[in-house]
Amino acid sequence: SEHHTLLYGTSPLNRQKLDSKKLLGPITQKMYALLPCGGLGVDSDTVWNEMHSSSAVRMAVGCVVELSFKVAAGELKNGFAVVRPPGHHAEESTAMGFCFFNSVAISAKLLRQKLNVEKILIVDWDIHHGNGTQQAFYSDPNVLYISLHRYDDGNFFPGSGAPDEVGTGPGVGFNVNIAWTGGVDPPNGDVEYLTAFRTVVMPIANEFSPDVVLVSAGFDAVEGHPSPLGGYSATAKCFGYLTKQLMKLAAGRVVLALEGGHDLTAICDASESCVSALLGNELDPLPQEILQQKPNGNAVASLEKVIEIQSKHWSSVKRYASTVGYSLLEAQKHETEEAETVTALASLSVDTAQNNSEPEARQGDEPMEEEPAM
């Protein structure tokens, strides 16, 4: 909103150039929280520095917008915006969860408005639900939002992102929440995230067929984040594999924007893995133990719930309902056998068609001499 933009996008210096009547109301009415450190924040987590925060949030948005435009226009193949602060919690008129402006949502809206990009996929793998992004596109059928997040029946921040939140009006079906439940016993890791991509994310994404892919790339699901901030055990390398899968969409036009993550080592390692994938480097093969491991029961139940709900909107996920609990090796074997069966049936159909056409071909031949009646 205009008030939100003027409040968080200006500093005392550049406010002097603006209409004081527009500024007076929203700024004087805004209540800041006093933080334990003695500073100010919009809430107990989200620090606000009156002199420097506004330029930081404008820079973050500008970087993601510029990168998105260059990739959408074909000037760049893909890219990664290493920016702070993050944005996916920021709503139209609310700053929260370290976020002031929703950089990915703003970029998506501008791609639609300025470059006439028809269909945009936003994948959000931050462990926290992107409530701001969901709000921005909840009724928009041109932007498909898919979020993978810890939900725990609404007991994990920010509490939104239930699997039955599917959109409204023309946007019904274009909001997909893979809402993990069951806490951290056991914690979700590589197997669960790769299974989610196999059974839900990639089937729906391929069916949607986006022109550009934007990724809210938060890394607080990477091991090293304690439960209040994360609690999961995904490896940094896992996100390289996820990035590589997304690069099969939209002719490779993929933009990652850094979102959450509070452990510097985890952020650095996961970012490196994603950039390596974007550069087209060969990734290390998945460890055999990951290929053989089945997803945990809580994750299977979560994914089955999502498939049950989203199969009403996306036919592509129906065929995966029976294989959610498979290991990656079992799934590969099943898909190979399924493909071989389809090929065999197709071959049989061709043979049958050829056999049925032979009598018709004979009708044009010279008639055979009739045998004399006995």
Side-chain angles (χ1 to χ4, degrees), residues 10 72 81 109 119 134-135 159 168 199 231 262-263 265 270 285 289 300 312:
T10 61
K109 285 186 178 285
K119 293 190 292 183
Q134 174 171 295
Q135 181 200 61
T168 186
T199 60
H262 314 279
D263 181 271
T265 300
E289 62 187 69
V300 170
K312 302 169 187 174

Side-chain angles (χ1 to χ4, degrees), residues 82-94:
V82 184
V83 295
R84 275 290 189 261
H88 72 153
H89 292 310
E91 298 184 350
E92 183 180 1
S93 300
T94 306

Side-chain angles (χ1 to χ4, degrees), residues 136-166:
F137 303 107
Y138 207 56
S139 61
D140 191 341
N142 298 103
V143 179
L144 170 61
Y145 177 60
I146 303 179
S147 175
L148 305 90
H149 54 273
R150 184 177 168 187
Y151 179 60
D152 293 353
D153 299 315
N155 293 308
F156 193 74
F157 181 86
S160 56
D164 57 1
E165 295 171 10
V166 298

